[in-house]
Amino acid sequence: TGGSTEINRTIFSANSASSGGAIAITGGTLAIAQSTFMNNTASTDGGALASLGGLTNLSYTTFSANTATGKGGAIYNASAG
């Protein structure tokens, strides 16, 4: 919670988690640029990315073949408030 993280030119492939197969953010700021999320899975929401609070900025990023049992095959964005 809090702080900021920048991710550039990164491939997230074949990751799995209950929420946000590759990344879950609960607060702070996350910026992702020129990256690829492929074949990630979540047993609940957000096959590749779950934003459960905070701010997420995406630019020039590809999402392919990510799956979730619940909501958001690629991205799940929940309001913090």
Side-chain angles (χ1 to χ4, degrees):
T1 324
S4 89
T5 301
E6 291 184 21
I7 298 171
N8 297 297
R9 297 183 180 141
T10 302
I11 296 172
F12 296 90
S13 179
N15 298 289
S16 63
S18 61
S19 181
I23 296 175
I25 178 174
T26 59
T29 302
L30 172 64
I32 302 172
Q34 299 176 350
S35 294
T36 301
F37 290 80
M38 61 185 179
N39 300 314
N40 299 290
T41 60
S43 59
T44 58
D45 303 321
L49 171 65
S51 181
L52 308 171
L55 177 66
T56 302
N57 295 306
L58 302 169
S59 61
Y60 303 104
T61 294
T62 302
F63 292 85
S64 175
N66 298 286
T67 59
T69 303
K71 301 173 185 170
I75 301 169
Y76 176 69
N77 185 38
S79 173

